Each structure stands twice: as structure tokens, then as C-alpha cells.
């Protein structure tokens, strides 16, 4: 799910995630919104520190 959200720059719908991952739409919406929020938070931190890379963005 994280990779799909990252690779579409957060523009994938919970309905599409549900279809691709065979998970309930409400579950995809819940986790998708959490993932998007954390990714946005980390993007701003990475910009300030001049680092990049998707692994730094999504992995703790």
C-alpha cells in the first residue's frame, strides 16, 4: 500500500487500493490517510535537511 501511494504521489483512491490489494475500502481509506499524512510530514523534514529518497520518506 505504501509503495502504491508513493508511486502515484498520493493520488490513488481508496477504492482503487481496495481493488488492487483485495482489502476493504474503509481499511484502505483509514491506512491510506495515515500514510499520506506521515509522508507529507516527512517530506517537509527531508527538505529542511536536504536529503531525499523514498526509503527515508516511508521507512522509520
Amino acid at each position: 500500500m505504501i509503495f502504491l501511494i508513493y508511486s502515484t504521489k498520493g493520488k490513488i483512491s481508496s477504492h482503487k487500493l481496495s481493488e488492487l490489494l483485495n482489502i476493504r475500502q474503509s481499511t484502505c481509506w483509514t491506512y491510506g490517510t495515515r500514510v499520506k499524512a506521515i509522508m507529507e510530514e516527512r517530506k517537509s523534514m527531508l527538505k529542511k535537511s536536504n536529503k531525499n529518497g523514498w526509503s527515508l520518506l516511508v521507512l522509520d
Side-chain angles (χ1 to χ4, degrees), residues 5-6 8 11 17 25 27-28 30 43 55-57:
I5 292 171
Y6 174 79
T8 61
K11 298 190 187 296
L17 284 172
Q25 183 271 332
T27 303
C28 290
T30 301
K43 273 186 197 177
S55 61
L56 294 172
L57 182 63

Side-chain angles (χ1 to χ4, degrees), residues 15-60:
H15 294 284
K16 187 66 174 175
L17 284 172
S18 174
E19 181 182 307
L20 292 171
L21 301 174
N22 200 25
I23 301 172
R24 287 183 18 209
Q25 183 271 332
S26 60
T27 303
C28 290
W29 183 85
T30 301
Y31 285 101
T33 55
R34 289 180 185 179
V35 168
K36 289 174 189 178
I38 291 170
M39 286 174 64
E40 286 302 316
E41 179 183 309
R42 290 187 182 173
K43 273 186 197 177
S44 63
M45 287 190 311
L46 289 173
K47 283 182 183 178
K48 291 177 186 173
S49 65
N50 290 327
K51 295 181 182 177
N52 61 19
W54 85 272
S55 61
L56 294 172
L57 182 63
V58 297
L59 301 175
D60 201 21

